[in-house]
Amino acid sequence: MSRGRFITIEGLEGAGKTTAMAAVEAWLQARGIDPLMTREPGGTPVGEAVRGLLLDHTYHGMTAKAEALLVFAARAEHLEQVITPALEAGRWVVSDRFTDASYAYQGGGRGLGEARIEALERWVQDGLRPDLTLYLDVPVARGLERAATRSDPDRFESEREGFFERARGVYRRRCAEHPERMRLIDASGEVEAVRRRIEAALALSFGESE
Ligand code: Z5A
């Protein structure tokens, strides 16, 4: 049996990842593929508990290193218990966020830098990397405007614009550095236009025959 494919969706606050996850799932299902849909931080009982810690305002003073280690602790669990077994069983896996978010938020936003994230990535993931990452790009102000409708912003959503600008800079740079895997999708337009761009990127990566 051939290994499944691993697709990740990335983007800033309000980029439209939830909408994109549904579009990817529908595109795959229309081709007879039943993907496993998951998210980070999360995807396992431990991962969901860690997500609670990361988003909770009670821990607003959490250090950047602790934050990065928590994100990777959840990822280690997610990989061993969910993602790797599914891929090995031939299942396609689609994750709402993965390690590019750690480069963007902890490496860029929190200022830990690329090398520390890379070291954790090597340790926790060995050689595993996504086959395709769709990065939904929106100007920070537009994303924050879309997300502003939420009544109860979490610990990340309460960050200042500069934090998100640094994260966006890292995402955009990584798309330029990893063109074989990462696709930058202009997500600033209407939902329907963004969905068409996502479908075009999927067709380009996996062809219509798979
Ligand atoms: N985090 C981290 O720091 N390091 C890591 O390694 C990982 C994560 C893995 C939680 O993630 C936090 O974890 C995250 C980074 C950190 N915090 N931040 N920021 P999350 O993915 O759960 O959190 P989120 O960014 O807040 O995502 P979300 O709420 O699930 O999705 P979204 O991208 O913001 O999109 P949405 O819910 O689909 O859309 C937001 C709103 O915009 C909604 O009302 C839509 O109807 C609307 N929308 C969507 N698309 C459009 C278009 N095209 N036009 C107009 N309006 C639109």
Side-chain angles (χ1 to χ4, degrees):
M1 177 182 294
S2 64
R3 177 187 171 277
R5 304 296 185 95
F6 184 26
I7 301 172
T8 61
I9 314 280
E10 298 280 357
L12 293 184
E13 186 63 6
K17 289 182 291 87
T18 308
T19 324
M21 286 289 284
V24 171
E25 185 176 27
W27 191 89
L28 292 173
Q29 284 173 343
R31 283 150 188 82
I33 297 164
D34 173 30
L36 188 152
M37 308 299 290
T38 187
R39 69 171 181 180
E40 288 209 349
T44 66
V46 167
E48 291 297 328
V50 169
R51 180 185 183 88
L53 290 175
L54 286 165
L55 301 188
D56 190 335
H57 281 291
T58 312
Y59 310 114
H60 68 91
M62 185 186 296
T63 63
K65 283 182 182 173
E67 187 178 283
L69 291 168
L70 282 172
V71 159
F72 272 95
R75 185 162 299 133
E77 197 79 357
H78 198 197
L79 280 166
E80 278 190 43
Q81 295 191 350
V82 177
I83 298 176
T84 304
L87 292 173
E88 283 173 357
R91 189 114 188 250
W92 288 52
V93 177
V94 184
S95 185
D96 184 339
R97 294 195 187 279
F98 193 62
T99 307
D100 292 297
S102 311
Y103 281 99
Y105 289 92
Q106 283 68 51
R110 301 282 187 228
L112 283 181
E114 191 175 347
R116 288 191 180 99
I117 306 301
E118 211 172 352
L120 290 169
E121 181 184 42
R122 267 200 306 274
W123 180 48
V124 170
Q125 295 172 219
D126 292 319
L128 191 130
R129 301 290 181 274
D131 295 294
L132 174 67
T133 297
L134 301 174
Y135 163 61
L136 306 175
D137 187 53
V138 281
V140 172
R142 170 92 45 102
L144 291 177
E145 208 177 286
R146 285 182 190 168
T149 48
R150 285 171 198 156
S151 54
D152 188 17
D154 64 41
R155 200 172 62 87
F156 286 96
E157 288 166 352
S158 307
E159 283 296 334
R160 291 168 198 272
E161 240 175 274
F163 174 84
F164 294 108
E165 290 291 359
R166 291 193 293 281
R168 184 184 187 210
V170 171
Y171 271 133
R172 290 173 62 92
R173 198 192 69 228
R174 289 182 66 73
C175 286
E177 288 172 356
H178 300 281
E180 75 298 344
R181 168 176 75 83
M182 295 185 77
R183 303 267 177 280
L184 188 150
I185 308 280
D186 176 358
S188 57
E190 296 296 315
V191 172
E192 191 50 31
V194 177
R195 191 181 58 77
R196 281 198 300 273
R197 288 182 196 123
I198 288 169
E199 290 177 352
L202 290 166
L204 193 67
S205 290
F206 302 118
E208 290 295 339
S209 58
E210 289 195 61

